[in-house]
Amino acid sequence: MKLQFTLNGERLELDVEPLRRLLDVVRDDLALTGTKEGCGEGECGACSVLVDGVVVNSCLVPASQVDGCEVVTIEGAGFERVRQCFLEQGAAQCGICTPGMIVMTRAWAERCRREGREPGLDDARTALAGNLCRCTGYGAILRAALDAAKERP
Amino acid sequence: MARVVGSRLARPDGPGKVAGTTRYVADLHFAGEWVGGTVRANVARGLLEAIERDAAFDFTRVVVVGPQDVPGANVIEMLTLDQPALASREIEHFGEPLLLVAAPDEATLQAALAALRPRITPLEPVFDPRASTKVFKEIRIEKGDVESALAGATRTFEGEYESASQEQLYIEPQGVIALPPDENGVVTVHGSLQCPYYVQKTLVRALGLPAEKVRVVQEATGGGFGGKEDYPSILATHAALLARKAGRPVRMIYDRHEDLAFTPKRHPSRVRIRSGVDGEGRLLALDIDVLFDGGAYTTLSPVVLSRGCIHAAGPYRCEHVRIHGRAVATNHVPYGAFRGFGAPQTCFAIERHMDHIAAELGLHPFELRRRNALRLGDRTATGQLLKESVGAQAVLERIAQRTHIDTHPWRAPKTTRKRRGLGMSFFFHGAGFTGAGETMLHARIALELDAEGRALVRSASTEFGQGTETLFKAIAAEALGCEPDDVLVAQPDTHAVPNSGPTVASRTCMIVGGVLARAGRELAARIGGNGPFRERARAFVRSGGDSRVEATYQTPAGLEWDDKAYRGDAYPAYGWAADVAEVEVDLDTFDVRVVRFWSAVDCGTAIQPQLVVGQFEGGSLQAVGFAQLEVVTTRDGRFQQDRMATCIIPTALDAPDFTTDLVEVPFSGGPFGAKGVGEMPMDGGAPAVLAAIEDALGLHVTRIPATPEHLLELWLAAHPEERL
Ligand code: FES
Ligand code: FES
């Protein structure tokens, strides 16, 4: 099929199999390898990307579903603040979960801001519960997420 | 005064990782590459009769590699040579590799794999290690006269402890890409791996090539935890065999299923302890029997057993000790290295046993440990005299200050349906290879200056999340007297770095870092002078000075080890730590939530404290998972948790709040006083959680994982009135 969508602010038109995984479109067809594959079955969150502002596991999304949508991967704009918080807290160890974590953290931080909610630790745990990390014990990641969600002074 | 040691450097690998630009092996592509796959045995034990080819598939579209295509020896060289690269007749475990296939694309590969059907005559497999007749390794440690001491003890105790296997579950699955021989006949493998020179050694034997014709390059590695210590040697051999025959690059990136189903995990264990104490609860005798299921091939089982046995008596003084350990063969998928390397299993056993003694004596578990803790001048189970850097009492004091575990009324009766409990563990962990291992390995590194006056560290020690690069930057900068930004760390590549040994055994900081510090001081002395380092270094290079230092490990004076008797200085130094866990157990569901977790840690000088904390938080959560959440079971020799959906590890919701206190007791033999820390956190978490469960429920649980089902069963046995 002809797939039209916006990727990281750029309008694209591709010829793809409708059932091809969004993850493969991004990683293999478009060579954006920041999005990772940890399980291929929706369990680890390493493949998280934003579709119209909502986090999805790109390993579970067929390409046809993003037709006309706005897709943002870790290579896109708007991650600067979250990245900085992850760096400051040393929240990336091996780094394989990091792009997915950052995508999820950004979505959560934006939601907190939008809803005028005070970001809390339990809330952050729930928000990040679909993103697995085996290195950090989540301590540094949660600290980074809280930093990121707090309004800039 | 230290400038860089103890500071908090920005991780050099940080920016690429948060931007998503760091390239892992699956992110790399080579022109003309094909994909590789494996035909595996579908029984746990048997005789391979034939591999039938489905005539409907056109095999000219693919390349197939069998045992006859192995140009060197058809073996995977690890500690022994018992494991074939491809089985040709005897099948020893489910999923054993039989044939390899390379194809231009994934669909063709899958079709080819489906068209190759092994015909195997099944044989009776052995799954129970107690029934095994084949012993990979047996160890006996003897000190004093255990039987007389037990006979003379005021009280004696017995216990049996079991732990199941555990999956490393690095988030990046195993993967390599092998290139065919280049114009110079050099075969190159790029991979996600911990030990480039281990992989090279295996390839040399299987390909029948000299070492200089085999190049192994470590790419950014998404976690290892021991799981990428041994298995990459197998995967690299397979990919290289395919690349050689196909004459093109071959990528073998396992999907999660293949990784979970066929790569090694932690050794299941059974430990029996008999102990005797005097009237004050002092340990007089320990008689410990350790049994590890090694799985189908030797792999690393002998050294895993060794570390397990040496740590089996815990950080306790005891005059009369007998430790008998065996790692035996079964028809399980081979077990291998996982952070802690045998010690988490035996540490779990001795710590549970100490809680058992405490409860029986009516003595507080903290007090029992304080009384028995090893001190400076004591001897360990192997007879090692502890001459310095013993943080045992210091970590106990600190954990008590922080948590008041020492006055917590342990096992006090409780009545609520949700019960809180607090429990502790106390443990030590030897840094570096066991015994004469480091002397034999002879770790080498190189430090050299470039024309810009920057220092380049060349070593085979790999970064896979722990912070190796940051650590080496800090050590080199401190030793050279330069800024951390003046130090670069080379990518581990067997054609470009000397062999500093594998990145395992909590050895990178103390052993390799120690060699690096020495090289740094020597280079600094050569450069000489005062003022900004870069200028001096540039001038030194311009003046034609010898700007490359190679340094090798030197065994500290006075270290002695008798490998036959298993006596002597097992490790140059030990890290010491105590954990306290707080749990909440729901009596309706028997769900255990670990709420808070404290550690007090002596790993000597913390070169980069935030890295130590990162290691402790991450390792402790793995241990918390090991205690009660992570389940690995087998049926007919197959791992039943062979998908991410069923192979559960802790999420952010399962993680407690961590508090890690560093109590630094420097070691004169380590760089700037540092010891090792990587594996240690894995030792203490499980027993601390089980002790907290015991506090909450009054149940002495001796088996992990302590799943809700297991707790319910024990609870109902203790409270028959609650049976429906
Ligand atoms: S790769 Fe998509 S959730 Fe794991
Ligand atoms: S940093 Fe390694 S998995 Fe999260």
Side-chain angles (χ1 to χ4, degrees), chain B residues 290-340:
Chain B
V290 179
L291 180 64
F292 283 176
D293 180 350
Y297 293 108
T298 310
T299 66
L300 296 165
S301 291
V303 277
V304 171
L305 180 72
S306 164
R307 194 173 272 270
C309 286
I310 290 171
H311 289 80
Y316 302 113
R317 56 200 321 199
C318 183
E319 281 300 299
H320 307 281
V321 181
R322 178 194 299 138
I323 300 165
H324 175 218
R326 278 173 311 140
V328 301
T330 63
N331 294 104
H332 284 133
V333 175
Y335 293 101
F338 188 167
R339 195 179 205 164

Side-chain angles (χ1 to χ4, degrees), chain B residues 465-637:
Chain B
Q466 339 83 300
T468 305
E469 281 184 61
T470 319
L471 176 78
F472 282 0
K473 252 174 164 325
I475 290 174
E478 189 72 56
L480 284 165
C482 66
E483 295 304 317
D485 283 346
D486 299 337
V487 180
L488 304 173
V489 180
Q491 179 178 28
D493 170 345
T494 55
H495 268 40
V497 300
N499 187 0
S500 58
T503 306
V504 301
S506 308
R507 62 185 294 279
T508 300
C509 179
M510 186 178 85
I511 301 289
V512 185
V515 180
L516 175 58
R518 201 149 40 71
R521 282 191 286 264
E522 187 181 328
L523 189 56
R526 281 192 205 167
I527 298 167
N530 288 306
F533 176 84
R534 286 280 284 275
E535 281 169 31
R536 285 186 286 127
R538 255 198 312 262
F540 178 74
V541 174
R542 257 195 316 248
S543 71
D546 181 2
S547 60
R548 181 181 162 100
V549 173
E550 279 216 25
T552 54
Y553 177 72
Q554 291 173 352
T555 310
L559 275 191
E560 272 170 41
W561 175 252
D562 176 346
D563 204 54
K564 279 213 180 61
Y566 250 71
R567 289 196 61 74
D569 300 313
Y571 301 98
Y574 296 83
W576 307 81
D579 286 343
V580 168
E582 180 177 15
V583 300
E584 185 177 85
V585 190
D586 184 329
L587 277 196
D588 293 320
T589 61
F590 283 89
D591 259 340
V592 176
R593 205 162 67 83
V594 183
V595 190
R596 286 189 287 177
F597 197 94
W598 298 264
S599 303
V601 185
D602 160 33
C603 59
T605 306
I607 303 280
Q608 289 287 286
Q610 88 281 10
L611 294 183
V612 175
V613 171
Q615 286 295 292
F616 245 82
E617 291 185 349
S620 295
L621 188 61
Q622 292 177 346
V624 163
F626 184 41
Q628 39 93 34
L629 192 74
E630 297 181 27
V631 176
V632 173
T633 51
T634 56
R635 181 185 290 164
D636 301 329

Side-chain angles (χ1 to χ4, degrees), chain B residues 262-566:
Chain B
F262 307 119
T263 71
K265 311 181 195 306
R266 187 182 303 289
H267 290 70
S269 76
R270 193 229 53 208
V271 179
R272 283 212 192 98
I273 304 180
R274 289 198 304 154
S275 65
V277 300
D278 70 10
E280 268 74 57
R282 287 194 194 86
L283 286 171
L284 299 177
L286 280 171
D287 183 13
I288 303 175
D289 186 78
V290 179
L291 180 64
F292 283 176
D293 180 350
Y297 293 108
T298 310
T299 66
L300 296 165
S301 291
V303 277
V304 171
L305 180 72
S306 164
R307 194 173 272 270
C309 286
I310 290 171
H311 289 80
Y316 302 113
R317 56 200 321 199
C318 183
E319 281 300 299
H320 307 281
V321 181
R322 178 194 299 138
I323 300 165
H324 175 218
R326 278 173 311 140
V328 301
T330 63
N331 294 104
H332 284 133
V333 175
Y335 293 101
F338 188 167
R339 195 179 205 164
F341 216 67
Q345 292 95 314
T346 55
C347 175
F348 165 71
I350 187 73
E351 285 302 281
R352 286 279 61 210
H353 192 74
M354 291 301 274
D355 283 339
H356 172 55
I357 297 177
E360 290 291 317
L361 293 179
L363 200 62
H364 197 284
F366 180 88
E367 179 55 24
L368 181 72
R369 287 173 170 89
R370 198 192 57 77
R371 275 184 204 174
N372 285 291
L374 282 164
R375 289 155 206 264
L376 210 61
D378 283 348
R379 285 184 187 273
T380 67
T382 62
Q384 175 168 6
L385 178 64
L386 296 172
K387 291 185 216 130
E388 63 161 321
S389 190
V390 178
Q393 298 292 337
V395 299
L396 285 173
E397 264 166 44
R398 178 61 67 86
I399 203 79
Q401 278 166 8
R402 181 60 95 165
T403 64
H404 307 296
I405 185 74
D406 52 335
T407 53
H408 175 76
W410 197 64
R411 292 186 57 136
K414 297 169 184 68
T415 53
T416 50
R417 291 303 286 178
K418 281 200 178 183
R419 295 197 178 167
R420 291 251 168 166
L422 222 53
M424 75 168 296
S425 63
F426 174 45
F427 48 105
F428 70 157
H429 200 96
F433 271 168
T434 304
E438 293 296 346
T439 306
M440 283 171 350
L441 181 72
H442 226 62
R444 278 193 306 133
I445 66 109
L447 185 62
E448 63 197 35
L449 298 172
D450 68 8
E452 299 297 307
R454 287 173 306 195
L456 178 67
V457 180
R458 290 188 189 273
S459 90
S461 302
T462 50
E463 170 73 76
F464 42 98
Q466 339 83 300
T468 305
E469 281 184 61
T470 319
L471 176 78
F472 282 0
K473 252 174 164 325
I475 290 174
E478 189 72 56
L480 284 165
C482 66
E483 295 304 317
D485 283 346
D486 299 337
V487 180
L488 304 173
V489 180
Q491 179 178 28
D493 170 345
T494 55
H495 268 40
V497 300
N499 187 0
S500 58
T503 306
V504 301
S506 308
R507 62 185 294 279
T508 300
C509 179
M510 186 178 85
I511 301 289
V512 185
V515 180
L516 175 58
R518 201 149 40 71
R521 282 191 286 264
E522 187 181 328
L523 189 56
R526 281 192 205 167
I527 298 167
N530 288 306
F533 176 84
R534 286 280 284 275
E535 281 169 31
R536 285 186 286 127
R538 255 198 312 262
F540 178 74
V541 174
R542 257 195 316 248
S543 71
D546 181 2
S547 60
R548 181 181 162 100
V549 173
E550 279 216 25
T552 54
Y553 177 72
Q554 291 173 352
T555 310
L559 275 191
E560 272 170 41
W561 175 252
D562 176 346
D563 204 54
K564 279 213 180 61
Y566 250 71

Side-chain angles (χ1 to χ4, degrees), chain A residues 38-39 41 43-44 132, chain B residues 169 171 256 260 643-647:
Chain A
C39 67
E41 51 172 319
E43 293 290 334
C44 74
L132 296 177
Chain B
L169 225 143
I171 304 296
R256 182 59 64 180
L260 290 176
R643 295 170 48 217
M644 197 83 126
T646 48
C647 194

